[in-house]
Amino acid sequence: MLKIAPSSLFMRNLWQTVTVFIISISIFVIYVWSAQMTKYADDQLIEATLLADELRMTTNGLTRMARGYIVNGDPLYKQGFQKIIDIRDGLQPRPSGHHQSYWDLILPGERNYLTKTSETASLLELIRRIGITKAEFAKLAEAKTNADAMSRMEMEAMSIADSAHANRDKALFFLDSIEHHKAKVAVRDPIDDFYTMLNTRLSTVHNKAEMLSHYLLGVFALMAFLSFFMLWRIYKTTYAILGTSVDNLHAYIRDIGNGNFSTPIVVKSGMEDSVAQWLSKMQIKLKELLFANERLKNLYSALSQCNNAIVRHKNEKELFSEICRIAVNFGGMKMAWIGMLDEENSHIKPVAFYGKGTDYLEGVAISTNPADPSSQGPSGRAFHDNNSYWCQDFVNDSLTLLWHERGREFGWGASAALPLVRNGVPVGVFNLYAENVGAFDEPSQKLLKEMAMDIGFALDNYASEAVRTKAEEQIEYMAHFDFLTGLPNRTQLQDRFAYTMNLAKRQNGYFTIMFIDLDHFKEVNDSLGHSVGDILLVEIAKRLLSVLREEDTLSRMGGDEFTLLLPDTDYNGALQVAQKLLDIFDESFLIDKYELTLSVSIGIAIFPIDGADKETLFKNADSAMYRAKKEGRNRYCFFTEEMQQNSMRKLSLSNALRHALKRNELEVVYQPQISTGDGKIIGTEALLRWHHPELGSISPVEFISIAEENGMILSIGEWVLHTAVTQAKTWMQKGMPPRIMAVNISAVQFHHSNLQEVVMKILNEVGLSPEYLELELTEGMAMQNPKKAIEIMNNLYAEGIRMSIDDFGTGYSSLSYLKKFKIYKLKIDQSFIHDITTDTEDKAIVVAIIAMAKSLGLQTIAEGVETLEQLEHLHEHGCDEIQGYYYSKPLSVEAFEIFSHKISI
């Protein structure tokens, strides 16, 4: 059997198909012609019917116009009557379209929907144009003639209504007459006959054309089917030769020519010897060669770009983002991401990513614990094994089971996970996703490992650089800023001061220095701890900064002291700023669970009035600050010349006081305390005096505060206590009656941790019973920290030591705390005693204190009694003891012994 070559079979089928196609086209042309004939008949029927209807409607419209005119007499109806006749006879232009009802009356003000044209053809002329038969036209011409006769009758009726003897009823009767009705029937009947003739003729034409169309349509359908069959044979023959469609073949050849091998050529079974099969084999070979070459080229390019990025970037964040971008744009990867170890929860979290599919990284956290299932993927294994992991078939590898669906969605054929090492320890993972299965061959793996090593090298350098930079920044920061508050320190303040002073000198301007000291801040540290104190200092710094300008400099000089530099600020400006600083301390500070209320003392010095150099301005501001403290704290004070003199004396006294003990310049004197009942000595108060060889006698009021500030108060206080206790014991040994020795203690002594230990040590050394020692503390001292005061008093009371409140009435004692204090005596301040006989307020205060003391079971002693009247008044109101110049001034040991002997006789 002869086998026909595919090409010969193809040509024979082609010519047969062309023949059938030409025959089909001829039949289709005849079919279209018959359809047009049918349409023409339909159009003629519609047009003729519309014109016949127009003749009928204009006849009815004329009758309505005539009747309306006769009834109403409105000339609009008569005008409308004539208009209808003129348009129908072609004397006026017709409205566009035969369907426009120009036979209806349009009153004034109504919208006219008729659109006029320039056409003035009569109705009969229009009927003649549509091509109807003579018989049909004769019927319509007959109807038109009868309609004209009817119109003349209606015009005659309107003439009757217009006559001198107008009789509208007669005119209406004429329109309703038998003659008028016959005229109307004479118009209607020929029109009905026309409809019948027209429909009969056109139905016949339509039926013949429709039959021809059906026949031709059947033949055309048969030929079309035959054409499709022939085309199908050509298609099958062509498909067998090509092995695929022409479009596919064209696309295959185009892709191969352009070097695009992304879409594989798929050849169906039975097409092994086709053009497509050979193209497929060629594509596979070329793709393998080009892909291997391109992959290595991309990876070499990526490695080069990676090294350039390592040189350019100075931190991990920038480098990682660039590495991921390079892996995708230069390395040919679909997606790349870098995860770093979060040491807080021991998970690897993405820090940089690039490419298609990065959405799935949101919320990803890979455990570094091998026992955790989330660590068993490629990234987790690469990290805890510190070894690269290659997944050559991503969507079929069991290790990536959890991500197979993602891999299919984003087209991941293979993946790689390489550990990133810093200083020999894994700290992250470099993850890459390639499009093709088996993408990471041995040469590719080698290049990627080299890239990971280069990144690790960069991490080592970053770590070293970070340590060095951090150390430098820390040194730089500590050199210029306070570590706790972040405020400029002394060094930076000096720099800014020098700049501000130079600027002020050039411009003949002003600037202000303020020394700010927190009042009683030590109590916060002592009672709540330094951690709370540090937090409070930070909050205070923030609050101070909140009311300052950007150009102002607030510096912490150490402890609870701040210095404020205010450029271009004179007296008035300094006054406003100082008041703002005081105001911001009106609101308490909430630190942890504590609500703390503080105040500040501010000293102010202004350039150049109060000094022309740094040392002078700072010294003067400091003097003003101490004056503010001395005057009661919670205030500001401007520097004055008097302060300068006081500051110099204070400095001189402070220096001299440091040597006073060694040089025996200090002396303890004793003032007797007398019972108001029998006038006998019942106790003694030890008072400190300082006799300087050059400065003379110095008041305790002046030098005690200096001793507290320079730290000498502890040693001096211990010396006074030891001297007084020793003297009390000596007098007892000499046979004098045992008397209580009262010794004043300062706030520093009272709050010192070893007060009880020092007192008991002295008593034990001297051998004096504790019941003969009375420690006096001021009212304000006890109320600074009542709870702490109660604790100290309780400890001393447990040892048998007496406690009393000195200067009572000048502080702000709370009765609820006063009754908790382990005291036995209240000493009424001498400021109330001086005018007790003349000032009713002082008298009332003293009486109240005595009454309150008795109600609490306490004794009272009045100090500063100088007259008999004062003594009698105090005795009258029940004061237990007095002390003052009325009996004796403070005496030396020898003088006291003489006085004691004299008063006991």
Side-chain angles (χ1 to χ4, degrees), residues 25-289:
I25 292 298
S26 301
I27 295 173
F28 180 77
V29 171
I30 298 172
Y31 169 77
V32 171
W33 173 81
S34 65
Q36 288 295 323
M37 292 300 295
T38 304
K39 183 177 182 303
Y40 174 75
D42 292 338
D43 292 340
Q44 190 179 48
L45 173 63
I46 293 170
E47 187 71 14
T49 302
L50 287 174
L51 291 172
D53 285 344
E54 182 179 338
L55 179 58
R56 184 196 301 272
M57 295 304 296
T58 53
T59 302
N60 293 336
L62 289 170
T63 302
R64 286 196 306 273
M65 294 294 175
R67 188 179 296 277
Y69 177 77
I70 293 169
V71 173
N72 297 321
D74 192 336
L76 287 175
Y77 287 96
K78 191 170 184 179
Q79 294 171 7
F81 184 95
Q82 188 61 46
K83 183 185 74 171
I84 294 171
I85 292 176
D86 291 345
I87 292 175
R88 191 172 66 180
D89 292 343
L91 301 177
Q92 286 191 30
R94 298 176 59 78
S96 62
H98 298 158
H99 61 283
Q100 297 288 351
S101 55
Y102 59 85
W103 45 84
D104 289 334
L105 178 64
I106 299 174
L107 297 177
E110 290 184 356
R111 184 173 179 180
N112 190 351
Y113 291 94
L114 300 180
T115 303
K116 292 183 178 182
T117 65
S118 59
E119 184 180 13
T120 55
S122 67
L123 182 60
L124 281 180
E125 178 61 26
L126 293 175
I127 293 172
R128 184 181 291 108
R129 289 177 186 176
I130 61 175
I132 59 178
T133 63
K134 291 182 178 181
E136 293 166 351
F137 178 80
K139 286 294 181 181
L140 288 180
E142 180 185 351
K144 172 63 169 61
T145 301
N146 294 338
D148 292 339
M150 183 177 172
S151 299
R152 287 191 293 273
M153 294 176 64
E154 290 165 348
M155 290 178 67
E156 184 178 350
M158 287 190 291
S159 299
I160 294 173
D162 288 336
S163 63
H165 303 286
N167 191 335
R168 296 185 182 278
D169 292 337
K170 181 179 178 181
L172 288 174
F173 178 80
F174 184 78
L175 292 180
D176 293 332
S177 65
I178 295 299
E179 288 77 11
H180 186 269
H181 179 70
K182 288 181 179 180
K184 183 175 292 189
V185 170
V187 174
R188 183 186 62 200
D189 288 344
I191 292 175
D192 291 342
D193 293 341
F194 165 78
Y195 285 153
T196 301
M197 295 170 65
L198 180 66
N199 288 332
T200 301
R201 178 176 64 82
L202 292 180
S203 294
T204 302
V205 173
H206 188 275
N207 290 338
K208 290 180 179 180
E210 187 174 3
M211 288 179 61
L212 178 60
S213 297
H214 288 166
Y215 172 78
L216 291 173
L217 184 61
V219 175
F220 178 79
L222 179 62
M223 296 305 295
F225 175 79
L226 183 59
S227 297
F228 281 124
F229 173 76
M230 299 303 295
L231 289 173
W232 176 81
R233 284 207 308 172
I234 293 176
Y235 168 77
K236 294 297 290 182
T237 303
T238 306
Y239 196 93
I241 296 171
L242 301 179
T244 185
S245 66
V246 174
D247 289 340
N248 287 344
L249 188 67
H250 175 265
Y252 295 156
I253 296 172
R254 181 193 62 208
D255 289 345
I256 291 174
N258 292 333
N260 180 9
F261 304 106
S262 59
T263 304
I265 299 175
V266 180
V267 181
K268 295 182 179 180
S269 177
M271 302 293 179
E272 287 76 9
D273 196 31
S274 63
V275 175
Q277 175 66 25
W278 290 106
L279 284 175
S280 176
K281 292 179 180 180
M282 182 175 67
Q283 181 197 46
I284 293 171
K285 293 294 183 182
L286 289 174
K287 184 177 180 180
E288 290 175 353
L289 293 173

Side-chain angles (χ1 to χ4, degrees), residues 820-831:
K820 295 178 182 180
F821 292 158
K822 297 294 185 179
I823 59 175
Y824 87 107
K825 185 190 295 184
L826 297 179
K827 179 177 282 190
I828 305 173
D829 188 72
Q830 62 182 348
S831 62

Side-chain angles (χ1 to χ4, degrees), residues 841-852:
E841 291 183 359
D842 286 347
K843 179 179 178 180
I845 292 173
V846 171
V847 172
I849 292 174
I850 295 172
M852 181 192 67

Side-chain angles (χ1 to χ4, degrees), residues 599-669:
S599 61
V600 291
S601 299
I602 305 173
I604 307 171
I606 301 175
F607 174 90
I609 301 170
D610 301 326
D613 57 72
K614 173 180 170 294
E615 288 72 17
T616 303
L617 283 170
F618 276 41
K619 179 184 66 175
N620 292 343
D622 190 49
S623 298
M625 185 267 291
Y626 276 103
R627 171 62 66 88
K629 281 188 172 294
K630 188 175 181 180
E631 292 178 353
R633 296 182 169 86
N634 191 25
R635 65 192 63 215
Y636 56 83
C637 184
F638 285 87
F639 174 76
T640 63
E641 285 299 327
E642 178 190 356
M643 292 182 196
Q644 174 67 15
Q645 297 172 4
N646 291 340
S647 178
M648 294 298 295
R649 176 172 173 80
K650 183 177 178 181
L651 179 60
S652 177
L653 291 177
S654 180
N655 291 331
L657 191 59
R658 296 183 184 277
H659 307 287
L661 270 177
K662 292 186 296 183
R663 296 173 180 172
N664 297 319
E665 296 173 1
L666 300 180
E667 176 190 11
V668 177
V669 294

Side-chain angles (χ1 to χ4, degrees), residues 506-717:
R506 288 198 301 269
Q507 298 178 352
N508 293 323
Y510 297 88
F511 67 86
T512 296
I513 288 291
M514 291 187 183
F515 272 31
I516 304 170
D517 188 82
L518 305 180
D519 298 331
H520 304 301
F521 181 78
K522 184 177 182 298
E523 297 174 11
V524 176
N525 283 336
D526 292 344
S527 58
L528 303 179
H530 286 275
S531 60
V532 173
D534 288 346
I535 298 174
L536 179 59
L537 284 172
V538 173
E539 293 302 315
I540 289 172
K542 291 179 181 178
R543 195 174 288 188
L544 290 171
L545 288 171
S546 68
V547 297
L548 299 178
R549 303 169 301 179
E550 185 176 354
E551 61 266 28
D552 299 335
T553 299
L554 178 66
S555 171
R556 180 177 176 231
M557 306 303 286
D560 58 356
E561 297 179 355
F562 296 85
T563 300
L564 179 57
L565 171 63
L566 301 171
D568 194 25
T569 303
D570 57 9
Y571 176 87
N572 292 328
L575 190 66
Q576 294 178 7
V577 174
Q579 188 58 53
K580 285 182 181 179
L581 296 179
L582 292 180
D583 292 344
I584 62 175
F585 283 87
D586 290 343
E587 182 180 352
S588 58
F589 294 84
L590 187 61
I591 308 297
D592 292 338
K593 59 182 178 181
Y594 306 106
E595 185 174 0
L596 306 175
T597 302
L598 289 180
S599 61
V600 291
S601 299
I602 305 173
I604 307 171
I606 301 175
F607 174 90
I609 301 170
D610 301 326
D613 57 72
K614 173 180 170 294
E615 288 72 17
T616 303
L617 283 170
F618 276 41
K619 179 184 66 175
N620 292 343
D622 190 49
S623 298
M625 185 267 291
Y626 276 103
R627 171 62 66 88
K629 281 188 172 294
K630 188 175 181 180
E631 292 178 353
R633 296 182 169 86
N634 191 25
R635 65 192 63 215
Y636 56 83
C637 184
F638 285 87
F639 174 76
T640 63
E641 285 299 327
E642 178 190 356
M643 292 182 196
Q644 174 67 15
Q645 297 172 4
N646 291 340
S647 178
M648 294 298 295
R649 176 172 173 80
K650 183 177 178 181
L651 179 60
S652 177
L653 291 177
S654 180
N655 291 331
L657 191 59
R658 296 183 184 277
H659 307 287
L661 270 177
K662 292 186 296 183
R663 296 173 180 172
N664 297 319
E665 296 173 1
L666 300 180
E667 176 190 11
V668 177
V669 294
Y670 304 92
Q671 188 172 33
Q673 296 174 334
I674 311 297
S675 170
T676 58
D678 55 14
K680 292 183 179 181
I681 300 174
I682 60 173
T684 306
E685 181 179 9
L687 301 169
L688 181 61
R689 296 292 183 264
W690 182 16
H691 305 286
H692 192 274
E694 297 177 0
L695 301 175
S697 295
I698 303 166
S699 170
V701 176
E702 185 176 13
F703 74 79
I704 289 297
S705 61
I706 295 175
E708 289 180 336
E709 291 175 6
N710 66 11
M712 290 297 295
I713 192 64
L714 291 177
S715 58
I716 293 175

